[in-house]
Amino acid sequence: MFEFYKRYAYDIGFPVRKRNSKKDDDGILRYITFVCSREGKRRRNTSSTLKPQPTIQSGCNARITASSNIYGVWRINTVHLEHNHKTSPSKSRLYRYNRELSAHVKRRLEVNDIAGIPLHKSYNSTVVEAGGYENMTCIEKDCQNYVEQIRHLRLGEGDAVAIQSYISKMQAQCSGFYFSMDLDEELRLKNVFWTDNRSRQAYKEFGDVVTIDTTYLTNNYDMPFAPFVGVNHHGQSTLLGCGLLSNEDTDTFVWLFRTWLECMHTQAPNGIITDQARAMQNVITIVFPNTKHRWCLWHILKKLPEKFGYHVDKGSIFATIHALVYDCQFIEEFDRGWIEMIEKYNLYDNEWLAGLYDNKERWVPWFLKTTFWATFLVF
């Protein structure tokens, strides 16, 4: 349905996105909304930000909604095709969902980067070869992202051999040692996953709730290190597997989670706790459709200085959020306190806070009291 709507949007000339979705108690998707990306309208107030961020939102109501019945049969509920802004088919190729790098462009970027040619020169030569900007299917930022990605894949001399040697050694010493390597089209090492038999056995006893954290970075290549961690009967962290990743996109997380699931005999956890990474959230619904997904409260509270360091009332905001998170005993109390905070400190245009409130059931301890992993998440 989304692919169809994207093709329609490409012909008409407007960007699209998924607006929201709802699942039933069994975790099965029952309702979905796809909208024009100009949907919604942020309230602007320069008094609460040092530098207001630009926005394309104009309150556009173009959308489609659909729902599924108990038998899994989907039907379109709403179709609204009118926009409150101009559409432009000529710009469709530059919208995020439509941009792509051809194999030829990727190869050129990689060769030029190895030769030390600056990115802007590589991009300009690609534009000339395509016959102008109007014929490009990507922008310079896409090329920059790709170059940064392939740099992660260039292991130093002997590194790939060292990894292989370590894995061979562990397999000889430890029965049940499991590993998997993910290669790209050029047979370069992209991602690695490994775990030993002790971790695999621990998962059978302590795999009800698992947390995965990709905020660790290796020193040499700035590659995310992704440990799977559980909690044993003594309240101690126990390692359940490790991944070394080239990037943090959807395809990488799909590979990582499916590899880990295969290693653990296809037994998915009841609950999984992550940071707020959108790519990871999307993948969990694909690989672990029946697993409850929650956000790590520690990661959220750790971001408060970053999000409100500019604000004159930052200390009061920090204290208010902590009080709402830890002290509220009722849903109504939390909602009322949150609204009062937004009004008191004029935080209407803060999208990060708005996103937290919309997903409060994923991280606020009170909303998790009915689930057995609430204590783990707060801890």
Side-chain angles (χ1 to χ4, degrees):
M1 192 185 307
F2 189 48
E3 292 299 321
F4 178 84
Y5 195 54
K6 284 199 298 182
R7 290 196 297 270
Y8 165 77
Y10 192 99
D11 292 338
I12 302 300
F14 66 93
V16 299
R17 61 184 170 89
K18 298 178 182 179
R19 177 64 175 86
N20 53 37
S21 60
K22 292 182 181 179
K23 296 181 179 180
D24 59 19
D25 295 337
D26 296 327
I28 299 175
L29 185 67
R30 294 298 186 191
Y31 179 85
I32 191 76
T33 300
F34 303 129
V35 300
C36 170
S37 291
R38 294 181 182 269
E39 181 268 348
K41 199 167 186 178
R42 271 195 320 191
R43 278 191 257 186
R44 287 173 169 268
N45 193 317
T46 56
S47 64
S48 62
T49 57
L50 294 177
K51 186 178 179 181
Q53 298 297 311
T55 177
I56 66 169
Q57 295 169 317
S58 63
C60 182
N61 288 321
R63 68 186 58 214
I64 62 173
T65 67
S67 61
S68 169
N69 61 22
I70 59 175
Y71 302 106
V73 178
W74 283 83
R75 60 171 293 171
I76 303 293
N77 298 327
T78 304
V79 177
H80 190 90
L81 303 180
E82 296 181 5
H83 298 263
N84 66 350
H85 56 89
K86 292 183 179 180
T87 57
S88 177
S90 63
K91 295 181 179 179
S92 290
R93 59 188 173 80
L94 298 179
Y95 293 137
R96 183 168 62 92
Y97 277 111
N98 300 324
R99 299 199 305 262
E100 63 178 1
L101 274 69
S102 66
H104 174 72
V105 171
K106 289 180 178 179
R107 184 60 180 166
R108 175 188 290 272
L109 290 171
E110 184 174 357
V111 171
N112 288 353
D113 185 58
I114 294 175
I117 298 175
L119 176 65
H120 71 275
K121 290 187 177 181
S122 296
Y123 181 72
N124 289 339
S125 67
T126 303
V127 172
V128 172
E129 184 177 347
Y133 289 98
E134 65 277 6
N135 297 322
M136 292 292 292
T137 59
C138 63
I139 60 177
E140 188 170 354
K141 181 64 175 177
D142 298 326
C143 297
Q144 179 182 339
N145 291 340
Y146 177 73
V147 169
E148 291 177 354
Q149 176 184 337
I150 61 174
R151 285 174 180 172
H152 287 166
L153 301 178
R154 294 182 197 143
L155 296 178
E157 183 176 356
D159 286 356
V161 175
I163 291 176
Q164 196 114 25
S165 175
Y166 167 77
I167 289 175
S168 299
K169 178 181 177 181
M170 294 302 296
Q171 281 188 311
Q173 293 179 350
C174 310
S175 61
F177 183 85
Y178 183 98
F179 81 97
S180 180
M181 292 185 176
D182 183 30
L183 307 178
D184 69 357
E185 296 82 358
E186 304 295 328
L187 300 181
R188 295 170 301 195
L189 184 62
K190 287 176 59 180
N191 310 299
V192 184
F193 171 82
W194 70 95
T195 188
D196 58 18
N197 190 56
R198 181 179 180 181
S199 295
R200 299 176 75 182
Q201 296 303 317
Y203 179 73
K204 294 179 180 179
E205 302 295 333
F206 312 119
D208 291 330
V209 180
V210 173
T211 180
I212 177 171
D213 187 355
T214 57
T215 58
Y216 304 95
L217 295 175
T218 59
N219 292 329
N220 289 339
Y221 304 108
D222 200 34
M223 295 175 68
F225 173 69
F228 291 84
V229 178
V231 173
N232 64 21
H233 52 296
H234 295 296
Q236 300 168 329
S237 297
T238 179
L239 189 62
L240 302 175
C242 304
L244 194 61
L245 312 176
S246 60
N247 56 64
E248 297 181 71
D249 60 13
T250 299
D251 290 340
T252 298
F253 282 128
V254 167
W255 176 87
L256 177 65
F257 285 178
R258 284 179 173 167
T259 301
W260 181 78
L261 189 61
E262 179 182 350
C263 167
M264 299 303 175
H265 309 289
T266 68
Q267 183 61 46
N270 294 325
I272 188 167
I273 300 171
T274 72
D275 59 18
Q276 295 167 267
R278 175 65 66 177
M280 203 179 302
Q281 183 173 332
N282 295 337
V283 170
I284 288 172
T285 62
I286 297 173
V287 183
F288 306 123
N290 299 318
T291 298
K292 299 294 185 182
H293 179 209
R294 298 295 181 256
W295 290 345
C296 177
L297 179 59
W298 181 83
H299 276 102
I300 292 174
L301 297 182
K302 185 182 178 183
K303 291 181 180 179
L304 291 179
E306 171 194 341
K307 299 297 183 180
F308 299 102
Y310 65 86
H311 206 288
V312 293
D313 296 312
K314 59 183 179 181
S316 298
I317 294 175
F318 296 171
T320 301
I321 292 177
H322 276 81
L324 289 171
V325 168
Y326 291 114
D327 298 338
C328 287
Q329 300 297 317
F330 304 98
I331 296 177
E332 296 78 8
E333 182 184 1
F334 178 87
D335 290 339
R336 183 172 60 253
W338 190 275
I339 293 172
E340 290 175 353
M341 176 187 70
I342 298 296
E343 293 176 347
K344 181 177 180 179
Y345 301 109
N346 203 9
L347 299 172
Y348 295 105
D349 61 345
N350 191 296
E351 290 189 344
W352 185 72
L353 280 181
L356 286 181
Y357 184 76
D358 290 341
N359 293 276
K360 56 190 175 185
E361 72 283 352
R362 289 187 182 272
W363 62 279
V364 178
W366 194 93
F367 291 89
L368 306 173
K369 285 185 177 180
T370 57
T371 57
F372 69 92
W373 59 85
T375 303
F376 175 83
L377 187 146
V378 176
F379 175 80

